[in-house]
Amino acid sequence: MAGEMAGNSTKKKISALVVDDDRLVRRIHGMLLTRFGMETNAVENGKEAVDLFASGKCYDLVFMDMEMPIMDGLKATQALREMGVSSTIVGVTSRTQEGETQAFMEAGLDACWEKPLTRDGIISLLDQVAKKLL
Amino acid sequence: MQKQLAKMKQSLFDQGYLDEQFIQLEELQDDANPNFVEEVVTLYYRDSVRLVQNIEQALEKNPLDFAKLDSYMHQFKGSSSSFGAKKVKTECTQFRDHCRAGNADGCKRTFQELKKEYATLKKKLEVYFQFARQAGPVEKACRPK
């Protein structure tokens, strides 16, 4: 079954990290992901996300806001990929200008979505992530 | 009472105050989090007070710093759209268009409209949530027609 660790009967939950400077967005996206059965954590900016991964924490899914203070989503995504992080990183942005989205994608995103996250979007993503975990 | 609540919600949608995102949030409510949407809206109005003040102060400067105003409004739009505040979101978009065009009067005018919509929505949602608490939990979030 998708998500089960080999040789272990314990089912592993998909882990998700919400990276957004807006407290409201962290609350909403966190709740949405938790309701989908994911282990969820949230941080306020790109640097906190990078520090988490550098400390040895790992998340299957990262929802990365584009504009954040201290370290924005683009730089954080670049940094994570340079560290060798292979998690699924989805850019989540209110900016819909093509140029900005493209630059964000080129930083190493797997997908870029417009805010807010929706149930349908997450459902389509879970299938992808579950296959990665097998 | 549930019927009245549904009518109230329908009216908020028909008048364009809320969009589908509000329903998405209601669908997240469960026994453990029965007032999640009210919590989100309360958080929004609490967090956005500072932002409104920042924008007001920034609009008093001469000349206007359109980049800063655009950045504030980007935040405002993000929060407002996260719970489905449709009219507020529309004013945010309008404001940002004026920023990009360097239209100071447009920004000031639109911000007044935005504040009106923001305040009106707050009052309407206060009534809605008061009613919702009295009506008790519903089995499923009701989608407006």
Side-chain angles (χ1 to χ4, degrees):
Chain A
M1 194 173 209
E4 276 183 342
M5 290 166 73
N8 189 330
S9 59
T10 314
K11 281 186 194 167
K12 179 185 178 285
K13 278 189 177 185
I14 291 177
S15 56
L17 179 67
V18 176
V19 189
D20 202 302
D21 59 331
D22 188 328
R23 178 163 68 144
L24 201 68
V25 170
R26 289 198 301 273
R27 183 79 183 97
I28 293 171
H29 290 175
M31 178 66 120
L32 181 61
L33 297 169
T34 303
R35 293 289 263 122
F36 270 97
M38 290 185 243
E39 286 268 349
T40 312
N41 196 359
V43 292
E44 290 182 23
N45 59 62
K47 185 174 184 305
E48 288 187 17
V50 171
D51 288 348
L52 266 180
F53 276 91
S55 74
K57 286 251 157 80
C58 198
Y59 298 90
D60 303 308
L61 261 174
V62 179
F63 291 94
M64 184 79 79
D65 185 25
M66 188 154 81
E67 289 191 24
M68 292 178 285
I70 303 174
M71 187 189 282
D72 65 25
L74 202 142
K75 291 197 179 79
T77 304
Q78 276 170 342
L80 289 174
R81 292 305 188 207
E82 278 164 19
M83 282 163 62
V85 169
S86 59
S87 309
T88 300
I89 305 178
V90 177
V92 186
T93 175
S94 337
R95 299 264 185 207
T96 50
Q97 282 145 329
E98 215 179 283
E100 287 171 351
T101 306
Q102 194 178 341
F104 201 7
M105 283 295 295
E106 284 167 8
L109 295 178
D110 292 287
C112 195
W113 293 348
E114 210 179 308
K115 273 185 202 179
L117 294 183
T118 61
R119 293 167 63 96
D120 290 344
I122 291 171
I123 289 168
S124 72
L125 198 58
L126 282 178
D127 197 41
Q128 244 178 285
V129 173
K131 283 176 186 160
K132 234 182 172 177
L133 292 176
L134 283 171
Chain B
M1 241 192 163
Q2 294 292 352
K3 272 190 184 164
Q4 274 179 284
L5 190 67
K7 266 190 181 164
M8 271 179 120
K9 184 157 62 181
Q10 184 67 52
S11 166
L12 287 170
F13 275 79
D14 290 344
Q15 292 175 73
Y17 286 105
L18 296 174
D19 65 28
E20 169 69 22
Q21 184 59 15
F22 191 83
I23 300 293
Q24 295 253 346
L25 294 193
E26 280 195 325
E27 287 177 350
L28 295 177
Q29 290 182 153
D30 57 13
D31 290 340
N33 300 278
N35 304 307
F36 177 63
V37 188
E38 186 176 358
E39 181 202 321
V40 163
V41 172
T42 304
L43 203 61
Y44 167 79
Y45 279 100
R46 199 180 300 164
D47 285 359
S48 56
V49 169
R50 175 82 60 93
L51 199 49
V52 169
Q53 283 169 355
N54 287 344
I55 296 170
E56 267 169 340
Q57 281 167 14
L59 283 171
E60 281 164 15
K61 301 230 159 111
N62 193 11
L64 294 187
D65 183 344
F66 289 110
K68 197 176 212 173
L69 282 165
D70 187 58
S71 174
Y72 283 142
M73 199 48 73
H74 164 74
Q75 272 182 266
F76 207 134
K77 185 182 169 185
S79 303
S80 307
S81 51
S82 70
F83 75 94
K86 193 175 175 184
K87 284 194 183 195
V88 175
K89 185 172 101 172
T90 302
E91 296 300 333
C92 292
T93 303
Q94 187 105 299
F95 186 99
R96 297 187 74 195
D97 288 343
H98 289 313
C99 282
R100 285 182 201 124
N103 182 350
D105 287 339
C107 283
K108 287 172 186 174
R109 233 180 12 249
T110 305
F111 191 59
Q112 294 311 310
E113 281 306 310
L114 191 156
K115 283 198 292 183
K116 271 190 215 156
E117 296 298 350
Y118 171 81
T120 303
L121 180 63
K122 186 179 186 194
K123 286 198 186 97
K124 287 188 182 284
L125 286 175
E126 273 168 2
V127 173
Y128 176 79
F129 290 130
Q130 203 168 19
F131 220 80
R133 270 181 262 125
Q134 285 168 17
V138 278
E139 275 184 25
K140 270 188 201 176
C142 306
R143 287 184 171 272
K145 293 165 206 161

